[in-house]
């Protein structure tokens, strides 16, 4: 099951909306030297830079679109990023297929407009190790943003915080601006 359509444009246009390194730095994401999972890796917008930013980690991209995954796999090979891979999987219906308590960091970037965001967050929580981090960003809840899901499915910042808390995460009191059109925060799975 695909996540509800957000009107994702062609890759060239899509990539102009993001500076992944700036977002990683703004969220203060450090290399966990373990496993990082990118939910809905799409064009590889965040997966490819993650292979560099988290250079001592194994990066796993999950996406339902096999054609996109083939293109990203080719780019990974051409760039020599041997620490990253993409798996074609319907993680909305079937889960990630990853073991519980096996992942250090998850990237939930522009995906919480899914029909059941708490279920998605619970799956992320399940696979994270105690003390693991869920990095969450989404389009600002502002119709003036140039792209993003329609306002009727776009999550408000307070909703994303509430959903993450409901899924078992420790969350901050508020979100912060992480890019021109995005807010974000880090949620933590309790324990160490």
């Amino acid at each position: 099951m695909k996540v509800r359509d957000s009107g994702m444009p062609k890759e060239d246009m899509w990539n102009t909306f993001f500076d992944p390194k700036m977002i990683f730095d703004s969220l203060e994401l450090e290399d966990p030297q373990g496993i990082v999972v990118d939910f809905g890796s799409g064009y590889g917008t965040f997966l490819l830079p993650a292979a560099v930013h988290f250079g001592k980690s194994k990066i796993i991209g999950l996406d339902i679109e096999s054609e996109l995954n083939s293109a990203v796999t080719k780019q990974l090979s051409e760039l020599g990023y041997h620490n990253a891979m993409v798996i074609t999987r319907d993680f909305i219906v079937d889960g990630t297929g990853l073991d519980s308590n096996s992942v250090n960091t998850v990237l939930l970037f522009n995906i919480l407009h899914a029909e059941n965001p708490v279920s998605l967050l619970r799956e992320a929580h399940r696979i994270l190790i105690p003390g693991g981090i869920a990095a969450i960003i989404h389009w600002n809840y502002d119709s003036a943003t140039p792209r993003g899901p329609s306002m009727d499915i776009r999550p408000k910042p307070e909703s994303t915080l509430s959903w993450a808390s409901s899924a078992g995460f420790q969350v901050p009191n508020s979100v912060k601006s992480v890019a021109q059109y995005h807010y974000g925060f880090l949620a933590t799975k309790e324990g160490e």
Side-chain angles (χ1 to χ4, degrees):
M1 169 188 289
K2 289 179 70 167
V3 173
R4 293 189 286 188
D5 188 13
S6 65
M8 190 167 160
K10 298 283 187 199
E11 183 176 6
D12 291 344
M13 177 185 272
W14 178 253
N15 288 335
T16 66
F17 296 120
F18 306 101
D19 180 342
K21 177 160 179 21
M22 182 186 78
I23 291 170
F24 296 153
D25 290 345
S26 180
L27 288 169
E28 300 179 31
L29 279 172
E30 297 179 10
D31 190 340
Q33 299 184 31
I35 299 174
V36 176
V37 175
D38 181 12
F39 281 74
S41 51
Y43 296 128
T45 305
F46 296 102
L47 179 87
L48 295 165
V52 175
H53 188 82
F54 306 111
K56 294 182 179 177
S57 290
K58 178 180 179 180
I59 316 302
I60 301 170
L62 301 172
D63 204 284
I64 195 171
E65 298 286 346
S66 60
E67 291 169 14
L68 286 178
N69 291 343
S70 294
V72 171
T73 297
K74 182 179 178 191
Q75 289 178 66
L76 289 168
S77 177
E78 289 170 353
L79 294 167
Y81 295 167
H82 302 292
N83 65 326
M85 63 183 287
V86 199
I87 298 171
T88 301
R89 185 159 182 100
D90 186 346
F91 57 82
I92 298 290
V93 172
D94 301 324
T96 61
L98 300 171
D99 291 337
S100 297
N101 304 308
S102 65
V103 172
N104 301 79
T105 302
V106 297
L107 307 179
L108 295 161
F109 288 1
N110 298 316
I111 198 160
L112 292 183
H113 58 279
E115 291 202 31
N116 190 345
V118 175
S119 177
L120 184 57
L121 285 157
R122 283 189 183 122
E123 177 63 5
H125 188 272
R126 183 190 68 76
I127 66 173
L128 281 169
I129 63 169
I133 300 292
I136 298 169
I137 73 165
H138 216 291
W139 294 93
N140 290 335
Y141 192 77
D142 176 0
S143 60
T145 56
R147 296 301 302 176
S150 65
M151 296 305 292
D152 60 323
I153 64 170
R154 189 180 307 195
K156 295 178 182 175
E158 57 272 17
S159 296
T160 59
L161 287 165
S162 175
W163 296 335
S165 180
S166 294
F169 286 101
Q170 293 178 314
V171 298
N173 292 326
S174 62
V175 301
K176 64 181 182 176
S177 176
V178 295
Q180 183 176 8
Y181 305 116
H182 288 81
Y183 65 86
F185 62 95
L186 299 181
T188 307
K189 181 174 178 176
E190 282 193 66
E192 296 237 16

